[in-house]
Amino acid sequence: MADTPKEGKLTRFLDFTQLIDMASECVGGKVLFATDDFFGPAENLIKSHSPSFKEHEYTEFGKWMDGWETRRKRIPGHDWCVIQLGIQGIIRGIDVDISYFSGSYAPRMSIQAANLNEEKVPDIPPRGVKTGAAATPEEFGVISERWTHIRLNIFPDGGVARLRVYGTGQKDWTSSDSKEPVDLVAIAFGGVCVGFSNAHFGHPNNMIGVGKPKSMADGWETARRLDRPPVLESNEDGLLQVPGCEWAVFRLAHPGVITQIEIDTKYFTGNSPDSCKVDGCVLTTQEEEDMVRHKWALPAHKWKPLLPVTKLYPNQNHLLESLTVELQDVITHARLTIAPDGGISRLRLRGFPSSMCLLRPLREKPMMRFSLKAGFKANL
């Protein structure tokens, strides 16, 4: 199974395991059908926690296994299941985990995807003369599939512990109500963390996750900074005077104007930050990639304030007005800075999408990558 982010490790743009698991039960993924669940139900595939093993535990059907396991097939055919994705969008990579299925894993597998909510075929650009040419970024954008369901096939039978379907959400922005602000950083719509300073206890992507936070683990939490003073002092505004801070940078799901900022510290009762601020900027795709390589050492003049330094309180939802109230203040990226350290459960950046998306042309369609448990050889 793919490794989780380590402390201080920047999210790499091409590392699909840093994206959201669109099939996970925690974002609303559901198993709709399975041909066989004899030893273990297919619902185990989309559990959010890692698989475990109980050496001496058995059920009335056989050995207890933390995964989907079918009986030894004695009829023609193969086993398969259908999963409805909790987040609909673009699939960037698949992680198939066969942990603990040492003598009963599925020797082969394949994955299919479908868009079962699509009512019409998208408008594909006319072909024209194509000799000596390649598809343009705009053509890729039109033809890119927005998947809603996947089918996992195993040949002919066996067990799989977990299935992770990593990708980015995709929203039909043309159907948005222009009168109501929308969360432009939501992971379900395509928002993603593209860099952070520290993620010791929780990844920043958790902050832009689906729904309300479920626990302290469902948020971004940093380690305690070692440069904090031995004796803390505050200024006349009640803000701690500390030298360090932690930060996370997000690419918005769509360029736009931020009008309202929501910062929720629910469940962080003894470890919330003292204060925070939010800044925004406009970056092209190339500029973003350059900043990832340089660990986001972006010139200060690029950032414009969306929220000044603001006091935060434990276990509380903070609804704040953005400083960018004029329509020309469009951004593509936002940076949340907390001082000195701590945890935040949710970040919502509500506003209105802009047609400025042409600043970020779509990159070439990425090659599908598969991450498989060591020792497992599949015919792909």
Side-chain angles (χ1 to χ4, degrees):
M1 188 172 177
D3 292 335
T4 55
K6 300 299 190 295
E7 176 181 358
K9 178 182 176 182
L10 285 173
T11 296
R12 301 195 310 275
F13 184 83
L14 294 178
D15 188 353
F16 66 80
T17 64
Q18 306 297 311
L19 302 175
I20 188 68
D21 178 7
M22 302 193 298
S24 173
E25 63 179 3
C26 69
V27 298
K30 297 179 180 178
V31 173
L32 300 184
F33 176 83
T35 57
D36 190 288
D37 300 276
F38 192 83
F39 294 108
E43 279 74 12
N44 288 336
L45 289 169
I46 58 175
K47 286 183 176 178
S48 57
H49 58 270
S50 298
S52 60
F53 183 72
K54 300 178 181 179
E55 183 176 0
H56 301 293
E57 184 161 338
Y58 287 80
T59 72
E60 60 179 308
F61 303 103
K63 182 71 183 72
W64 181 91
M65 295 296 291
D66 190 8
W68 176 41
E69 185 179 1
T70 68
R71 75 189 75 201
R72 301 188 189 214
K73 208 162 191 65
R74 298 296 183 257
I75 59 175
H78 69 278
D79 287 320
W80 50 276
C81 69
V82 175
I83 299 174
Q84 177 180 307
L85 300 179
I87 293 178
Q88 303 172 4
I90 304 298
I91 297 174
R92 301 296 187 188
I94 304 291
D95 177 9
V96 178
D97 187 350
I98 56 171
S99 293
Y100 307 115
F101 285 93
S102 59
S104 56
Y105 64 86
R108 306 170 190 85
M109 68 90 186
S110 71
I111 293 175
Q112 299 166 291
N115 188 338
L116 302 183
N117 292 339
E118 195 67 40
E119 296 180 355
K120 64 176 182 178
V121 177
D123 295 328
I124 301 175
R127 290 282 294 165
V129 178
K130 304 300 292 187
T131 303
T136 66
E138 290 75 20
E139 289 172 332
F140 270 120
V142 172
I143 206 64
S144 292
E145 292 288 353
R146 179 174 181 263
W147 304 119
T148 64
H149 296 71
I150 65 165
R151 171 170 152 162
L152 171 63
N153 302 289
I154 56 175
F155 303 97
D157 52 40
V160 176
R162 294 290 187 273
L163 175 67
R164 308 299 190 198
V165 182
Y166 292 106
T168 54
Q170 191 180 53
K171 178 179 173 62
D172 180 7
W173 294 99
T174 61
S175 64
S176 298
D177 185 350
S178 60
K179 297 180 181 179
E180 293 296 328
V182 62
D183 184 6
L184 295 178
V185 78
I187 206 164
F189 299 159
V192 64
C193 176
V194 290
F196 57 88
S197 59
N198 187 284
H200 191 81
F201 298 108
H203 196 281
N205 269 336
N206 292 340
M207 287 189 292
I208 58 175
V210 177
K212 296 181 180 180
K214 303 172 183 62
S215 69
M216 197 168 64
D218 190 21
W220 174 44
E221 184 181 1
T222 73
R224 301 190 191 208
R225 291 188 63 89
L226 298 180
D227 60 357
R228 61 193 190 279
V231 178
L232 300 179
E233 297 181 359
S234 60
N235 62 14
E236 61 274 10
D237 297 321
L239 300 174
L240 289 180
Q241 301 302 286
V242 290
C245 64
E246 305 292 354
W247 53 268
V249 178
F250 299 89
R251 184 195 324 123
L252 301 187
H254 194 292
V257 179
I258 304 301
T259 59
Q260 185 187 71
I261 297 172
E262 178 179 346
I263 298 175
D264 194 351
T265 59
K266 187 173 179 61
Y267 300 114
F268 290 97
T269 57
N271 48 358
S272 63
D274 178 69
S275 63
C276 76
K277 66 175 183 175
V278 180
D279 300 290
C281 69
V282 173
L283 292 177
T284 64
T285 298
Q286 185 59 54
E287 287 175 325
E288 178 193 287
E289 292 179 348
D290 292 342
M291 291 304 100
V292 169
R293 284 193 293 269
H294 291 87
K295 299 182 180 180
W296 286 94
L298 195 65
H301 70 272
K302 276 276 189 179
W303 294 103
K304 62 179 98 174
L306 303 181
L307 180 72
V309 177
T310 301
K311 183 76 173 179
L312 295 178
Y313 299 93
N315 196 34
Q316 183 171 318
N317 194 27
H318 307 75
L319 291 176
L320 307 157
E321 296 297 323
S322 171
L323 295 176
T324 58
V325 294
E326 300 180 3
L327 290 179
Q328 64 263 30
D329 291 327
V330 174
I331 65 168
T332 61
H333 292 68
R335 179 180 65 188
L336 170 65
T337 304
I338 59 174
D341 48 43
I344 291 177
S345 57
R346 287 293 184 268
L347 170 68
R348 306 298 189 197
L349 301 178
R350 297 187 179 90
F352 298 91
S354 164
S355 60
M356 206 172 180
C357 58
L358 294 178
L359 287 172
R360 286 195 296 116
L362 290 170
R363 65 187 63 248
E364 290 186 0
K365 190 173 182 181
M367 181 181 297
M368 182 69 74
R369 293 171 55 193
F370 291 86
S371 174
L372 300 174
K373 185 73 174 180
F376 175 58
K377 297 181 179 180
N379 296 329
L380 303 177

